[in-house]
Amino acid sequence: MVTKASLEKKGFEKIRKDLQFIMSAFKEMLESLGEQELASALPWVNTTPPVAMTPPSDERLAQAIGMSFELLNLVEENTATQFRRKTETHVGLDAIRGGWAETLRVWKEAGKSPEEMAALLPNINVMPVLTAHPTEAKRVTILSIHRELYMLLVKNENQVWSTIERAGIKTEMMALLERWWRTGEIYLQKPSLQSERNNLLYYYTSVFPEALRLTDQRLKDAWATAGYDSKLLQLPEQFPLLQFGSWVGGDRDGHPFVTADFTASTLQLHREAALHLLHGKVTDLASRLSFSGHLNEVPEDFLDSIKEKATALGATGQAALDRNPMEPWRQFSNLIALKLEQTLNSSSHLDPIKHYLRASDLQADLRILRQAMLQVKANRLVQYLLFPIERLVKCFGFHLVKLDIRQNSAYHEKAISQMLTTAGIQDADYGAWEEEKRLAFLNTELESARPFVLLGTSCGPEADKLLAYYRVVREYIDQYGADGIGSFIISMTRSLSDLLLVYLFLREVGLLDSKLPVVPLLETIEDLVAGGPILEAFLTHPVTVARRKGVAHPVQEVMLGYSDSNKDGGIMTSRWSIYKAEMALTKIGDKHGVKLCFFHGRGGTISRGGGKIHRFLESMPIGSVSGHIKMTVQGETISNQFANRLNATYNLEVFVSSTARQAMFSEQEDFDERLYAIMERLSNFARQHYRILLDHPQFIPFYRQATPI
């Protein structure tokens, strides 16, 4: 009988076999370049001690050892993918931890009906947010080589190859390894903002669209395997919303080179990339929809839609029709592609007749096409050809990703002080004001709609830069809508005034009435403790209440900092403080009828919140996961999680599935006071000793000698 344990054992054997294969290629490549001393020093492939010869330089040896560990990562990643496949085949789909099949089983065991499950799914809104980070030093060229090596590992698994063909695979692998060896692993200079942006753009356009399709298919497969009615889960709008966020181009906390112009160009680049992506998909769809008007009965209302759209597009619309006479489904798709192309090429005012103003307009046209296909019972082709495109529009829109705008509260204080000085206020040192005075000033100002500073007035470096990028956001929203803008995040939020001050800046550019989220970032242990009273005051403030008016299901985002709370209090106190903060903040949100979207500022290491996503989410307090969630993906974890398509699919599936799993159980659990008291004692004890270590006068000299810093 095949068990998960037996598959794990075979997995370890596969790792050893594949590692031997790829390391032997690496060794032979080095030997062919005359690097015998390096080849003899490689791990895992040399069974005898290296022959005495001139030792290699530390730099070249470090490169060889570093590449060896990267190759081990590739081997383990491929084995993990194969292990999951074999586990699904021999043990069952629900044996994959964190996957959709396990979530559906957990729900079923808890007594949830398929109808309850289907009702929850469209309310799930998950957003990975990619950030630039100095711990990601790999060059894009190297990431591409990693991908090619991975595909050769997969290719080598096929048993059909002859001895000569298998030798050819190894030769190709050696050529890739030589390219890698001669290129170098890391950037020799700090990456530019443009290179960071382009690096992330690769994932948004080349990885995530396909990973989204595969993730959706995983949910469909799990649903079918569970035996549930397919009608409950077949339309794009019945699926969870998976969106993507970015900080590159919007994060100004410590990034002085992120100018207003760079933010503007980033937003435009995102839009153009999204339109290019959708235009390519719709064009490909048109090439496949070769339904004959002679062999299929064409719905009359569909013919009317084709005629109406072609007439609106004029001569170019008629030309699109003439290319494929008597193929109405293809004609309609061509008209959609034409309108997308004109939208993409328009740099000025958008005409609703010739251009798509919003992604929702494209969604409406795709629904017309869907209905026309369903009317001729082309259900299978709707699922196979049209569904993925409708999902792309739903999740990526015309904006591709949501760009968060982040700045720290100290910078905001400098900006408002400069604005006060320009306005002739005598006591203009806002940073020195007590909280009571700040609130009195802000409350008075926010009662008025007039701007505090006249347009064109220079106030000072911080104020001018801040107002410039707020105006960029305003200009973008005026032209394209707010879909491409994420949240205004205030690092080091210490008080209510830190949040209200952003309201004032929004008012300065005419955005106070917008629904743009203003988000506290609670970073230190003290900030996490104070987060409850701050949120209570913020949610009940008249401006917040007014902005919430008319919103059917209001959501308030709160960002939690893992790195700074860990540096402040140590890992034990950090985790426990975040856990308590989530419970307290959720109760406050429930009290005011507001769902909380926790934005987890995780890093890659355990000390910064890293680890398996499903375990991380299962550790949240019951009832604190509303179904709306954001999570940073930083540094090297971007390539680790998403560089490979199947690995990207697995990580996205686990993120969405585990969020849905926790969101199903909305009632907060009763706390065991004894366990709570134990955790409090452990946390206090851990923090005390952590601070003794950290505050020791010899800690820094010790740290320099004991770590690779």
Side-chain angles (χ1 to χ4, degrees):
M1 178 181 177
V2 179
T3 64
K4 202 168 183 179
S6 66
L7 291 173
E8 287 176 350
K9 183 178 179 180
K10 289 182 178 179
F12 287 121
E13 293 172 357
K14 175 176 171 55
I15 289 174
R16 284 192 289 270
K17 179 182 176 183
D18 288 354
L19 186 60
Q20 180 68 31
F21 175 72
I22 200 168
M23 287 301 297
S24 66
F26 188 22
K27 181 179 181 180
E28 289 178 34
M29 183 276 293
L30 288 175
E31 289 174 340
S32 71
L33 299 180
E35 301 279 10
Q36 281 79 8
E37 66 277 11
L38 280 175
S40 65
L42 293 177
W44 308 309
V45 74
N46 287 298
T47 56
T48 58
V51 179
M53 56 181 65
T54 305
S57 69
D58 289 344
E59 183 179 341
R60 286 163 62 235
L61 180 60
Q63 181 183 356
I65 298 298
M67 285 178 62
S68 299
F69 278 101
E70 293 286 357
L71 293 175
L72 175 60
N73 286 343
L74 287 177
V75 168
E76 290 181 335
E77 187 176 301
N78 179 47
T79 301
T81 299
Q82 302 304 329
F83 170 75
R84 289 193 293 269
R85 282 174 166 163
K86 291 179 180 178
T87 299
E88 289 179 4
T89 300
H90 297 287
V91 184
L93 200 61
D94 62 350
I96 303 301
R97 285 289 287 115
W100 274 118
E102 185 194 48
T103 291
L104 296 182
R105 174 173 56 78
V106 169
W107 286 348
K108 183 178 180 180
E109 291 171 353
K112 303 299 180 181
S113 68
E115 288 75 17
E116 288 177 291
M117 301 177 194
L120 173 72
L121 291 175
N123 297 314
I124 302 301
N125 188 340
V126 170
M127 186 185 297
V129 180
L130 274 57
T131 75
H133 202 271
T135 57
E136 173 55 289
K138 294 188 189 70
R139 302 172 61 182
V140 176
T141 301
I142 297 301
L143 293 175
S144 176
I145 291 174
H146 284 191
R147 172 67 179 162
E148 291 183 64
L149 283 169
Y150 180 92
M151 295 309 297
L152 283 178
L153 273 175
V154 175
K155 184 178 181 180
N156 189 57
E157 292 173 346
N158 196 322
Q159 299 302 311
V160 303
W161 307 122
S162 68
T163 304
I164 295 297
E165 288 172 324
R166 199 169 296 283
I169 293 174
K170 189 171 185 178
T171 300
E172 188 176 354
M173 188 172 284
M174 289 170 61
L176 278 171
L177 288 167
E178 183 176 347
R179 279 178 54 203
W180 183 357
W181 176 255
R182 293 181 182 276
T183 301
E185 173 77 9
I186 63 174
Y187 290 105
L188 299 180
Q189 296 178 325
K190 178 179 173 60
S192 67
L193 283 170
Q194 287 80 3
S195 65
E196 290 177 344
R197 184 172 64 186
N198 291 339
N199 187 25
L200 296 195
L201 200 63
Y202 164 78
Y203 291 97
Y204 298 135
T205 58
S206 301
V207 176
F208 291 141
E210 178 65 7
L212 170 65
R213 184 187 70 80
L214 294 173
T215 301
D216 286 343
Q217 188 59 50
R218 297 281 300 172
L219 175 52
K220 290 180 182 180
D221 292 341
W223 193 263
T225 301
Y228 297 148
D229 186 355
S230 62
K231 292 180 181 178
L232 293 173
L233 193 71
Q234 62 180 357
L235 303 178
E237 49 268 28
Q238 293 172 319
F239 280 66
L241 181 59
L242 175 59
Q243 297 178 294
F244 298 91
S246 177
W247 275 13
V248 177
D251 180 15
R252 291 173 170 76
D253 187 3
H255 294 276
F257 300 114
V258 181
T259 63
D261 287 342
F262 189 76
T263 297
S265 67
T266 298
L267 290 168
Q268 191 64 34
L269 185 66
H270 288 169
R271 175 178 169 81
E272 291 172 0
L275 287 168
H276 269 297
L277 175 66
L278 293 172
H279 179 262
K281 296 295 183 182
V282 173
T283 301
D284 181 65
L285 172 69
S287 71
R288 296 168 185 267
L289 286 183
S290 51
F291 297 10
S292 169
H294 294 298
L295 301 177
N296 301 274
E297 185 177 351
V298 187
E300 285 296 328
D301 56 347
F302 186 50
L303 289 173
D304 292 340
S305 296
I306 294 172
K307 182 178 180 181
E308 179 183 350
K309 186 168 290 295
T311 301
L313 292 171
T316 54
Q318 186 59 47
L321 293 186
D322 294 341
R323 284 200 303 273
N324 305 104
M326 293 310 299
E327 293 182 349
W329 287 269
R330 177 175 279 175
Q331 288 177 324
F332 192 77
S333 301
N334 280 332
L335 291 170
I336 293 176
L338 174 60
K339 196 169 181 178
L340 272 172
E341 182 181 3
Q342 294 183 169
T343 304
L344 176 61
N345 293 333
S346 176
S347 57
S348 57
H349 177 70
L350 296 177
D351 181 347
I353 296 177
K354 297 181 179 180
H355 310 114
Y356 286 114
L357 301 187
R358 301 288 183 264
S360 56
D361 300 329
L362 174 58
Q363 286 178 298
D365 277 349
L366 291 174
R367 280 195 294 270
I368 292 173
L369 180 59
R370 184 210 305 172
Q371 187 59 34
M373 293 174 69
L374 291 175
Q375 284 179 272
V376 294
K377 297 182 171 54
N379 302 52
R380 182 183 295 107
L381 295 178
V382 166
Q383 288 297 311
Y384 180 69
L385 297 176
L386 188 57
F387 177 91
I389 298 176
E390 291 194 82
R391 284 287 286 163
L392 274 181
V393 181
K394 178 73 173 176
C395 297
F396 289 83
F398 289 173
H399 59 280
L400 193 69
V401 298
K402 288 183 176 291
L403 185 68
D404 283 336
I405 308 296
R406 185 174 77 127
Q407 185 55 276
N408 67 71
S409 55
Y411 191 100
H412 286 169
E413 290 174 5
K414 291 179 182 178
I416 188 61
S417 294
Q418 292 165 6
M419 292 165 64
L420 291 171
T421 300
T422 302
I425 305 298
Q426 287 187 343
D427 182 10
D429 188 4
Y430 180 88
W433 292 3
E434 296 292 333
E435 177 70 1
E436 185 177 352
K437 183 176 180 179
R438 293 184 181 190
L439 291 177
F441 163 74
L442 291 168
N443 288 332
T444 300
E445 280 297 321
L446 290 171
E447 289 177 355
S448 170
R450 58 115 178 97
F452 194 73
V453 176
L454 294 176
L455 182 64
T457 304
S458 177
C459 302
E462 283 79 11
D464 291 351
K465 290 176 183 177
L466 182 144
L467 291 174
Y469 62 75
Y470 272 61
R471 291 186 180 113
V472 161
V473 172
R474 168 63 190 270
E475 291 167 5
Y476 178 88
I477 290 175
D478 285 347
Q479 191 167 8
Y480 303 123
D483 287 347
I485 310 299
S487 308
F488 282 79
I489 302 170
I490 305 95
S491 301
M492 292 299 174
T493 299
R494 299 285 168 79
S495 62
L496 173 62
S497 63
D498 291 336
L499 301 174
L500 298 184
L501 186 53
V502 176
Y503 279 167
L504 182 62
F505 296 143
L506 289 172
R507 188 204 66 179
E508 289 299 296
V509 298
L511 286 176
L512 184 58
D513 292 335
S514 72
K515 305 301 182 184
L516 294 174
V518 174
V519 177
L521 169 47
L522 309 173
E523 299 186 76
T524 67
I525 302 299
E526 283 70 23
D527 294 344
L528 289 166
V529 173
I534 293 173
L535 182 66
E536 176 83 38
F538 184 60
L539 290 180
T540 56
H541 192 273
V543 176
T544 307
V545 172
R547 294 176 100 229
R548 202 162 64 228
K549 190 174 182 180
V551 179
H553 304 288
V555 176
Q556 172 64 46
E557 185 178 321
V558 177
M559 188 169 182
L560 305 173
Y562 285 74
S563 178
D564 282 292
S565 61
N566 176 73
K567 286 184 286 188
D568 181 26
I571 189 168
M572 179 76 174
T573 305
S574 168
R575 288 302 179 282
W576 181 236
S577 299
I578 289 173
Y579 188 94
K580 290 190 297 181
E582 286 181 275
M583 287 196 303
L585 294 168
T586 299
K587 287 180 180 178
I588 292 169
D590 291 343
K591 174 182 173 183
H592 297 288
V594 176
K595 284 188 174 184
L596 293 192
C597 170
F598 285 115
F599 185 178
H600 299 278
R602 302 170 74 214
T605 63
I606 295 297
S607 63
R608 303 180 67 234
K612 296 290 186 181
I613 296 176
H614 61 275
R615 292 176 181 168
F616 174 79
L617 289 169
E618 288 167 12
S619 73
M620 300 293 104
I622 297 296
S624 67
V625 181
S626 68
H628 293 255
I629 190 169
K630 291 172 67 174
M631 197 175 295
T632 53
V633 187
Q634 298 180 353
E636 74 286 349
T637 59
I638 297 175
S639 57
N640 288 348
Q641 291 186 37
F642 301 123
N644 175 273
R645 184 189 66 181
L646 294 179
N647 207 37
T649 301
Y650 168 70
N651 283 299
L652 290 178
E653 176 191 358
V654 169
F655 189 9
V656 182
S657 166
S658 299
T659 300
R661 174 175 171 173
Q662 297 302 104
M664 179 64 83
F665 309 108
S666 57
E667 296 296 325
Q668 289 208 28
E669 60 187 347
D670 293 329
F671 228 13
D672 187 322
E673 295 296 335
R674 295 170 300 171
L675 296 179
Y676 189 96
I678 291 172
M679 286 298 298
E680 282 287 287
R681 288 177 60 191
L682 286 172
S683 174
N684 292 334
F685 181 79
R687 187 181 189 187
Q688 176 187 353
H689 285 268
Y690 171 78
R691 294 307 314 187
I692 289 173
L693 171 66
L694 208 65
D695 297 333
H696 193 285
Q698 293 301 308
F699 173 74
I700 294 300
F702 154 76
Y703 192 73
R704 285 198 178 113
Q705 296 179 49
T707 72
I709 191 173

